[in-house]
Amino acid sequence: PFVFLSPALSAETITRILEETGSSILAIGHGLEHFPELPHTDWLKEHGLEQISLDNVPRTGNPSAHESTATADSLAYIVFTSGSTGIPKGVPQTHKNVLADIQRQSRDLLVTTQDRYGLLFPLGSSAAICHLGGALLNGATLCPIDFRHSNLEDLADWLIQKAVTILDINVSTFRELARTLPIGQNFPDLRLLSP
């Protein structure tokens, strides 16, 4: 199972999540400079965490060397709540639940290999994981936007530039998008807007 850690999390929250989940490997995709709040290397060693860089993982041509023993009821990942009501809480998800969500979404949205998912949700959320899985399992393209480096005023241009066909958007973001659109704005590729 995995837990996604966002660079936006505080050092206290990251430490709590690592301790609570009993994590043994910390995989980082773009280097430590993106994680200023990450516990220092000595803390990681003291707590038995192996740190690996995903940029340096060797690619192997033998998929059977990594055969999984996971079952449908095995834990796939743990997503943590925002903590808006106090301390963030871990919510476990099994492979069966994740696959059921992806299959339901794929069926409901009629996802094809021609689709381009617009991803507005942070990667640590269940919605993002469902979109990621839906894109991968259907041969569609995933188009993430990082609101740490963009803002809602960029969203309309981004939708056109990326030729997004499916956009799952929360109500408050949709209202803000609609408020900022000029009259007659058109999104020629967008076929489905899902609240």
Side-chain angles (χ1 to χ4, degrees):
F2 72 89
V3 177
F4 181 82
L5 297 174
S6 166
L9 296 173
S10 69
E12 179 185 352
T13 300
I14 291 173
T15 302
R16 184 181 309 113
I17 288 172
L18 292 173
E19 288 175 339
E20 191 174 312
T21 58
S23 298
S24 59
I25 296 174
L26 180 62
I28 299 175
H30 295 293
L32 291 175
E33 67 275 7
H34 295 285
F35 273 93
E37 299 297 332
L38 196 64
H40 55 80
T41 306
D42 291 341
W43 185 94
L44 297 173
K45 286 180 184 173
E46 285 172 24
H47 288 78
L49 268 86
E50 178 187 355
Q51 182 179 310
I52 62 170
S53 169
L54 294 177
D55 297 329
N56 299 325
V57 173
R59 305 216 189 298
T60 177
N62 182 6
S64 63
H66 302 287
E67 237 174 79
S68 174
T69 57
T71 67
D73 292 317
S74 295
L75 190 62
Y77 68 90
I78 302 170
V79 64
F80 276 77
T81 62
S82 65
S84 59
T85 59
I87 295 174
K89 294 171 184 62
V91 180
Q93 294 293 324
T94 64
H95 287 278
K96 178 172 52 180
N97 290 347
V98 174
L99 186 57
D101 282 346
I102 292 169
Q103 287 174 327
R104 176 198 46 77
Q105 183 184 77
S106 297
R107 184 181 58 249
D108 292 350
L109 304 181
L110 303 172
V111 181
T112 72
T113 58
Q114 303 305 309
D115 278 312
R116 298 176 62 81
Y117 271 87
L119 181 62
L120 305 183
F121 301 102
L123 283 176
S125 68
S126 289
I129 292 166
C130 190
H131 290 331
L132 175 62
L136 287 172
L137 292 179
N138 290 292
T141 301
L142 190 68
C143 304
I145 186 170
D146 186 349
F147 283 118
R148 289 176 302 151
H149 305 294
S150 302
N151 55 46
L152 278 174
E153 287 76 31
D154 301 328
L155 186 54
D157 290 337
W158 175 82
L159 288 168
I160 294 168
Q161 176 192 13
K162 295 296 182 183
V164 170
T165 61
I166 299 174
L167 183 64
D168 188 358
I169 188 169
N170 64 41
V171 174
S172 60
T173 305
F174 175 75
R175 281 189 189 131
E176 188 59 25
L177 173 64
R179 187 186 68 72
T180 61
L181 290 178
I183 294 173
Q185 175 72 58
N186 189 11
F187 300 100
D189 299 293
L190 190 62
R191 70 171 183 84
L192 185 65
L193 190 64
S194 176

